[in-house]
Amino acid sequence: MKVNLIFFLARFGLGGAGNSIFRLCTSLDKKKYKINIICLNKCAYEHKFRKNKIRVYKIKSNRTLYSMFKLKKLVKKISKNHKDTIFISNINYTNILCALFIEKKPNLKLIAIERTPFQELEIYFDTIDFIKKNIIKILICFFYNKFDKIICNSRYISNYLRKKYNFKSTTIHPPSLIYNKKKQILNKYKFDGRTLNISSICRLSKEKAIHDILYALNYLKQKEINLNIIGDGPEKENLINLTKKLNLNKNVKFYGYKNEIFSILKKTHLYINSSYFEGFPNSVVEAAISGIPIISSQSHGGINEILMNGKFGTIYGKGYLDLASKIKKFYQNPKIFYQKAILARKNVMKFSLLNHKKNFEKMLDNI
């Protein structure tokens, strides 16, 4: 009999978590697993899931908390008449709610996946955010022991969970790469000392700190720098207005969300990741596999494994002034950055869908 898998991701968008779950679910052996997806309101991959004979359940609710009773009822329905069901939740706030509301049974195992660093809970954008995150930290201590298994997407997050909360976990790196020879062509557009093309790909939200890149460019006052921003999100209008305010209109281009990014990456000289916190930035891996030099913030997650703590790329501290100094160093001596990029490309080969699938199935078999 097939193992019944239930993946719950409240906001199932095109971002890192949604993309990782989609890649995993469509690669798992359908003869071995029956796969179900639960999300709130809409799923960006619904059509593709259905083409792969994966059932998608959508709960009508604008808040994860308010969806819990419906989720509990739905999980009970899906797991009925199945000998083995594994329920998989994602990200700390949702994990806590699932630990509170989803009842463990002999035929129902619970797995929590942590995709963002716990340092996220130490960064506050307002008073409500401060209160919410401190409540989450307390609840983690009391309820994470309910899970049969905790999965972290980087060793950095796994180590932090053990040291801070004394919980053991398993590290499974995300499926950042799907090998495709046509896509994975080395970037041949090396910086020649003239116009510098910089790219950054992410959801445009506060924690991604794209404004730091804009302030860094404004500080440098270099007319020969172009910035490509790929992605959408709640901060887009604010970032566009900031670009105008800093008189960077001619230097900055907003592309919105793009499904295919390699056409932009192949003309990129330097990739910047400016996030305050980041679980495992797939876009950085995609930049690395393209041979692009990388400057990244210390975002406390997988970036340390992707760039080997700065050996395979350049990691800066918090703030646009430090970022500006790193961009200036690239401008003055790009050779060192390209030498690191060669090492980064070799390193990220292991973050593949094939390895992720193999490690995930091994974990499921041993739970």
Side-chain angles (χ1 to χ4, degrees), residues 12-15 18-19 22 43-50 56 257:
F12 213 120
L14 295 165
N19 190 29
F22 168 74
C43 174
Y45 295 94
E46 182 175 3
H47 179 67
K48 292 180 178 179
F49 274 133
R50 295 193 189 283
V56 177
Y257 175 79

Side-chain angles (χ1 to χ4, degrees), residues 9-14 22 37-47 49 56-58:
L9 181 64
R11 306 281 184 266
F12 213 120
L14 295 165
F22 168 74
I37 303 294
I38 303 177
C39 61
L40 303 187
N41 299 317
K42 61 181 180 180
C43 174
Y45 295 94
E46 182 175 3
H47 179 67
F49 274 133
V56 177
Y57 298 87
K58 294 176 289 184

Side-chain angles (χ1 to χ4, degrees), residues 80-299:
K80 189 179 180 181
N81 300 325
H82 283 275
K83 182 182 177 182
D84 295 304
T85 295
I86 301 173
F87 177 84
I88 304 160
S89 65
N90 294 265
I91 308 171
N92 49 55
Y93 175 65
T94 303
N95 291 339
I96 290 167
L97 290 176
C98 291
L100 282 165
F101 285 90
I102 305 300
E103 185 182 352
K104 282 180 68 174
K105 295 181 179 179
N107 69 327
L108 180 62
K109 301 280 180 68
L110 303 183
I111 294 176
I113 299 182
E114 279 301 340
R115 298 184 182 274
T116 55
F118 288 93
Q119 281 83 352
E120 172 194 4
L121 302 176
E122 308 293 339
I123 299 171
Y124 318 112
F125 296 110
D126 52 45
T127 305
I128 294 174
D129 195 43
F130 172 82
I131 295 169
K132 177 183 174 181
K133 287 178 178 177
N134 276 282
I135 291 172
I136 289 173
K137 285 190 282 187
I138 294 168
L139 292 175
I140 285 173
C141 296
F142 287 100
F143 292 102
Y144 261 45
N145 58 4
K146 184 177 176 181
F147 291 103
D148 295 286
K149 181 76 73 172
I150 301 172
I151 305 298
C152 296
N153 67 358
S154 74
R155 288 193 299 273
Y156 190 99
I157 299 174
S158 289
N159 290 337
Y160 188 88
L161 184 64
R162 177 175 52 81
K163 291 176 183 177
K164 182 80 174 179
Y165 298 101
N166 200 29
F167 288 121
K168 292 182 179 180
S169 63
T170 300
T171 301
I172 300 179
H173 294 117
S176 299
L177 296 176
I178 299 177
Y179 290 117
N180 185 320
K181 291 182 180 180
K182 291 183 179 179
K183 284 185 177 181
Q184 290 170 12
I185 297 172
L186 267 172
N187 187 328
K188 296 179 181 179
Y189 293 83
K190 290 192 175 182
F191 180 54
D192 59 7
R194 291 180 287 183
T195 301
L196 173 60
N197 289 321
I198 299 173
S199 291
S200 189
I201 304 167
C202 63
R203 182 173 183 267
L204 303 184
S205 51
K206 285 183 180 179
E207 71 274 9
K208 301 300 182 182
I210 291 295
H211 56 271
D212 276 352
I213 306 178
L214 297 175
Y215 281 124
L217 297 189
N218 181 63
Y219 178 80
L220 289 168
K221 304 295 183 186
Q222 292 279 359
K223 293 181 180 180
E224 297 81 18
I225 298 180
N226 294 324
L227 172 63
N228 303 308
I229 300 173
I230 301 97
D232 279 313
E235 283 294 298
K236 185 174 183 178
E237 286 304 314
N238 290 336
L239 291 169
I240 290 172
N241 291 334
L242 180 60
T243 301
K244 293 175 182 177
K245 182 181 177 181
L246 298 176
N247 295 315
L248 293 171
N249 307 54
K250 294 181 180 180
N251 304 86
V252 180
K253 185 173 182 180
F254 290 85
Y255 282 87
Y257 175 79
K258 288 182 73 70
N259 191 43
E260 202 287 309
I261 61 171
F262 285 91
S263 59
I264 295 172
L265 287 180
K266 73 179 183 180
K267 295 181 181 179
T268 297
H269 301 125
L270 177 65
Y271 187 88
I272 296 178
N273 175 57
S274 55
S275 297
Y276 293 141
F277 49 84
E278 189 88 53
F280 201 93
N282 291 329
S283 60
V284 175
V285 176
E286 289 166 336
I289 201 69
S290 299
I292 301 169
I294 295 160
I295 296 176
S296 175
S297 59
Q298 175 51 274
S299 50

